[in-house]
PDB file of all heavy atoms in Angstrom:
ATOM      1  N   GLY X1510      -4.172  26.887   3.724  1.00 98.00           N
ATOM      2  CA  GLY X1510      -2.865  26.536   3.170  1.00 98.00           C
ATOM      3  C   GLY X1510      -1.754  27.326   3.837  1.00 98.00           C
ATOM      4  O   GLY X1510      -1.976  28.077   4.800  1.00 98.00           O
ATOM      5  N   PHE X1511      -0.539  27.139   3.323  1.00 99.00           N
ATOM      6  CA  PHE X1511       0.631  27.812   3.880  1.00 99.00           C
ATOM      7  C   PHE X1511       1.547  28.269   2.777  1.00 99.00           C
ATOM      8  O   PHE X1511       2.029  27.434   2.023  1.00 99.00           O
ATOM      9  CB  PHE X1511       1.367  26.867   4.835  1.00 99.00           C
ATOM     10  CG  PHE X1511       2.632  27.446   5.393  1.00 99.00           C
ATOM     11  CD1 PHE X1511       2.612  28.670   6.059  1.00 99.00           C
ATOM     12  CD2 PHE X1511       3.847  26.789   5.238  1.00 99.00           C
ATOM     13  CE1 PHE X1511       3.792  29.217   6.565  1.00 99.00           C
ATOM     14  CE2 PHE X1511       5.020  27.333   5.747  1.00 99.00           C
ATOM     15  CZ  PHE X1511       4.996  28.549   6.409  1.00 99.00           C
ATOM     16  N   PRO X1512       1.835  29.559   2.583  1.00 98.00           N
ATOM     17  CA  PRO X1512       1.265  30.661   3.364  1.00 98.00           C
ATOM     18  C   PRO X1512      -0.195  30.908   2.985  1.00 98.00           C
ATOM     19  O   PRO X1512      -0.590  30.641   1.852  1.00 98.00           O
ATOM     20  CB  PRO X1512       2.132  31.863   2.961  1.00 98.00           C
ATOM     21  CG  PRO X1512       2.597  31.543   1.561  1.00 98.00           C
ATOM     22  CD  PRO X1512       2.760  30.051   1.521  1.00 98.00           C
ATOM     23  N   GLN X1513      -0.961  31.406   3.942  1.00 98.00           N
ATOM     24  CA  GLN X1513      -2.360  31.747   3.652  1.00 98.00           C
ATOM     25  C   GLN X1513      -2.391  33.101   2.940  1.00 98.00           C
ATOM     26  O   GLN X1513      -1.656  34.024   3.307  1.00 98.00           O
ATOM     27  CB  GLN X1513      -3.150  31.795   4.964  1.00 98.00           C
ATOM     28  CG  GLN X1513      -4.619  32.135   4.767  1.00 98.00           C
ATOM     29  CD  GLN X1513      -5.420  32.018   6.052  1.00 98.00           C
ATOM     30  OE1 GLN X1513      -5.414  30.966   6.693  1.00 98.00           O
ATOM     31  NE2 GLN X1513      -6.105  33.089   6.427  1.00 98.00           N
ATOM     32  N   ASN X1515      -3.964  35.855   2.895  1.00 98.00           N
ATOM     33  CA  ASN X1515      -4.095  37.172   3.531  1.00 98.00           C
ATOM     34  C   ASN X1515      -3.324  37.264   4.837  1.00 98.00           C
ATOM     35  O   ASN X1515      -3.549  38.178   5.614  1.00 98.00           O
ATOM     36  CB  ASN X1515      -5.567  37.475   3.795  1.00 98.00           C
ATOM     37  CG  ASN X1515      -6.178  36.512   4.803  1.00 98.00           C
ATOM     38  OD1 ASN X1515      -5.608  35.448   5.077  1.00 98.00           O
ATOM     39  ND2 ASN X1515      -7.317  36.864   5.356  1.00 98.00           N
ATOM     40  N   CYS X1516      -2.430  36.286   5.097  1.00 98.00           N
ATOM     41  CA  CYS X1516      -1.831  36.221   6.425  1.00 98.00           C
ATOM     42  C   CYS X1516      -0.391  36.722   6.435  1.00 98.00           C
ATOM     43  O   CYS X1516       0.415  36.367   5.574  1.00 98.00           O
ATOM     44  CB  CYS X1516      -1.883  34.786   6.949  1.00 98.00           C
ATOM     45  SG  CYS X1516      -1.418  34.724   8.703  1.00 98.00           S
ATOM     46  N   ASN X1517      -0.087  37.504   7.450  1.00 98.00           N
ATOM     47  CA  ASN X1517       1.277  38.011   7.636  1.00 98.00           C
ATOM     48  C   ASN X1517       1.824  37.622   9.001  1.00 98.00           C
ATOM     49  O   ASN X1517       2.599  38.367   9.602  1.00 98.00           O
ATOM     50  CB  ASN X1517       1.293  39.532   7.446  1.00 98.00           C
ATOM     51  CG  ASN X1517       0.940  39.883   6.009  1.00 98.00           C
ATOM     52  OD1 ASN X1517       1.631  39.473   5.075  1.00 98.00           O
ATOM     53  ND2 ASN X1517      -0.171  40.584   5.810  1.00 98.00           N
ATOM     54  N   CYS X1518       1.405  36.459   9.477  1.00 98.00           N
ATOM     55  CA  CYS X1518       1.997  35.954  10.720  1.00 98.00           C
ATOM     56  C   CYS X1518       3.474  35.643  10.463  1.00 98.00           C
ATOM     57  O   CYS X1518       3.941  35.644   9.320  1.00 98.00           O
ATOM     58  CB  CYS X1518       1.249  34.719  11.229  1.00 98.00           C
ATOM     59  SG  CYS X1518       1.555  33.196  10.304  1.00 98.00           S
ATOM     60  N   ARG X1519       4.215  35.349  11.490  1.00 98.00           N
ATOM     61  CA  ARG X1519       5.660  35.106  11.360  1.00 98.00           C
ATOM     62  C   ARG X1519       5.944  34.026  10.324  1.00 98.00           C
ATOM     63  O   ARG X1519       6.826  34.167   9.475  1.00 98.00           O
ATOM     64  CB  ARG X1519       6.222  34.709  12.731  1.00 98.00           C
ATOM     65  CG  ARG X1519       7.712  34.479  12.710  1.00 98.00           C
ATOM     66  CD  ARG X1519       8.253  34.052  14.067  1.00 98.00           C
ATOM     67  NE  ARG X1519       9.685  33.805  13.965  1.00 98.00           N
ATOM     68  CZ  ARG X1519      10.209  32.670  13.508  1.00 98.00           C
ATOM     69  NH1 ARG X1519       9.437  31.669  13.140  1.00 98.00           N
ATOM     70  NH2 ARG X1519      11.519  32.540  13.434  1.00 98.00           N
ATOM     71  N   ASN X1520       5.175  32.939  10.375  1.00 98.00           N
ATOM     72  CA  ASN X1520       5.412  31.842   9.427  1.00 98.00           C
ATOM     73  C   ASN X1520       5.088  32.256   7.993  1.00 98.00           C
ATOM     74  O   ASN X1520       5.859  32.000   7.075  1.00 98.00           O
ATOM     75  CB  ASN X1520       4.514  30.646   9.777  1.00 98.00           C
ATOM     76  CG  ASN X1520       5.028  29.848  10.956  1.00 98.00           C
ATOM     77  OD1 ASN X1520       6.198  29.955  11.329  1.00 98.00           O
ATOM     78  ND2 ASN X1520       4.150  29.035  11.540  1.00 98.00           N
ATOM     79  N   CYS X1521       3.904  32.838   7.796  1.00 98.00           N
ATOM     80  CA  CYS X1521       3.471  33.157   6.425  1.00 98.00           C
ATOM     81  C   CYS X1521       4.375  34.219   5.811  1.00 98.00           C
ATOM     82  O   CYS X1521       4.832  34.078   4.669  1.00 98.00           O
ATOM     83  CB  CYS X1521       2.016  33.619   6.417  1.00 98.00           C
ATOM     84  SG  CYS X1521       0.849  32.263   6.719  1.00 98.00           S
ATOM     85  N   ALA X1522       4.660  35.289   6.577  1.00 98.00           N
ATOM     86  CA  ALA X1522       5.558  36.326   6.062  1.00 98.00           C
ATOM     87  C   ALA X1522       6.946  35.732   5.840  1.00 98.00           C
ATOM     88  O   ALA X1522       7.598  36.016   4.824  1.00 98.00           O
ATOM     89  CB  ALA X1522       5.616  37.492   7.056  1.00 98.00           C
ATOM     90  N   ARG X1525       7.268  33.495   2.729  1.00 98.00           N
ATOM     91  CA  ARG X1525       7.242  34.332   1.512  1.00 98.00           C
ATOM     92  C   ARG X1525       8.591  34.995   1.262  1.00 98.00           C
ATOM     93  O   ARG X1525       9.085  35.036   0.138  1.00 98.00           O
ATOM     94  CB  ARG X1525       6.177  35.432   1.649  1.00 98.00           C
ATOM     95  CG  ARG X1525       4.814  35.019   1.182  1.00 98.00           C
ATOM     96  CD  ARG X1525       3.835  36.216   1.192  1.00 98.00           C
ATOM     97  NE  ARG X1525       2.521  35.715   1.522  1.00 98.00           N
ATOM     98  CZ  ARG X1525       1.892  35.913   2.673  1.00 98.00           C
ATOM     99  NH1 ARG X1525       2.441  36.665   3.623  1.00 98.00           N
ATOM    100  NH2 ARG X1525       0.714  35.376   2.887  1.00 98.00           N
ATOM    101  N   HIS X1734      -2.670  35.032  18.450  1.00 97.00           N
ATOM    102  CA  HIS X1734      -2.306  35.799  17.250  1.00 97.00           C
ATOM    103  C   HIS X1734      -3.292  36.936  16.987  1.00 97.00           C
ATOM    104  O   HIS X1734      -3.058  37.769  16.115  1.00 97.00           O
ATOM    105  CB  HIS X1734      -2.294  34.883  16.014  1.00 97.00           C
ATOM    106  CG  HIS X1734      -1.022  34.128  15.817  1.00 97.00           C
ATOM    107  ND1 HIS X1734      -0.783  32.909  16.396  1.00 97.00           N
ATOM    108  CD2 HIS X1734       0.098  34.421  15.100  1.00 97.00           C
ATOM    109  CE1 HIS X1734       0.429  32.486  16.030  1.00 97.00           C
ATOM    110  NE2 HIS X1734       0.971  33.381  15.257  1.00 97.00           N
ATOM    111  N   PHE X1736      -6.207  36.359  15.695  1.00 97.00           N
ATOM    112  CA  PHE X1736      -6.867  36.002  14.432  1.00 97.00           C
ATOM    113  C   PHE X1736      -8.275  35.462  14.633  1.00 97.00           C
ATOM    114  O   PHE X1736      -9.047  35.331  13.690  1.00 97.00           O
ATOM    115  CB  PHE X1736      -6.053  34.936  13.682  1.00 97.00           C
ATOM    116  CG  PHE X1736      -4.728  35.425  13.157  1.00 97.00           C
ATOM    117  CD1 PHE X1736      -3.731  34.521  12.826  1.00 97.00           C
ATOM    118  CD2 PHE X1736      -4.481  36.785  12.981  1.00 97.00           C
ATOM    119  CE1 PHE X1736      -2.504  34.961  12.332  1.00 97.00           C
ATOM    120  CE2 PHE X1736      -3.250  37.223  12.492  1.00 97.00           C
ATOM    121  CZ  PHE X1736      -2.267  36.312  12.171  1.00 97.00           C
ATOM    122  N   ASN X1777      -1.787  24.029  10.592  1.00 98.00           N
ATOM    123  CA  ASN X1777      -2.234  25.404  10.337  1.00 98.00           C
ATOM    124  C   ASN X1777      -1.033  26.328  10.151  1.00 98.00           C
ATOM    125  O   ASN X1777       0.023  26.117  10.751  1.00 98.00           O
ATOM    126  CB  ASN X1777      -3.105  25.913  11.493  1.00 98.00           C
ATOM    127  CG  ASN X1777      -3.907  27.129  11.061  1.00 98.00           C
ATOM    128  OD1 ASN X1777      -4.679  27.051  10.100  1.00 98.00           O
ATOM    129  ND2 ASN X1777      -3.705  28.260  11.717  1.00 98.00           N
ATOM    130  N   ASN X1778      -1.238  27.364   9.354  1.00 98.00           N
ATOM    131  CA  ASN X1778      -0.098  28.234   9.014  1.00 98.00           C
ATOM    132  C   ASN X1778       0.493  28.964  10.217  1.00 98.00           C
ATOM    133  O   ASN X1778       1.626  29.416  10.174  1.00 98.00           O
ATOM    134  CB  ASN X1778      -0.482  29.212   7.888  1.00 98.00           C
ATOM    135  CG  ASN X1778      -1.647  30.097   8.274  1.00 98.00           C
ATOM    136  OD1 ASN X1778      -1.498  31.042   9.031  1.00 98.00           O
ATOM    137  ND2 ASN X1778      -2.828  29.789   7.750  1.00 98.00           N
ATOM    138  N   THR X1779      -0.249  29.077  11.312  1.00 98.00           N
ATOM    139  CA  THR X1779       0.273  29.726  12.524  1.00 98.00           C
ATOM    140  C   THR X1779       1.148  28.801  13.362  1.00 98.00           C
ATOM    141  O   THR X1779       1.795  29.251  14.311  1.00 98.00           O
ATOM    142  CB  THR X1779      -0.904  30.170  13.419  1.00 98.00           C
ATOM    143  OG1 THR X1779      -1.791  29.043  13.582  1.00 98.00           O
ATOM    144  CG2 THR X1779      -1.661  31.340  12.810  1.00 98.00           C
TER     145      THR X1779
HETATM  146 ZN1  LIG I 992      -0.138  32.787   8.766  1.00 68.00          ZN
END
Side-chain angles (χ1 to χ4, degrees):
F1511 177 55
Q1513 180 173 305
N1515 65 344
C1516 190
N1517 295 300
C1518 74
R1519 182 181 178 278
N1520 282 342
C1521 288
R1525 272 187 213 108
H1734 276 88
F1736 292 161
N1777 197 58
N1778 59 76
T1779 50

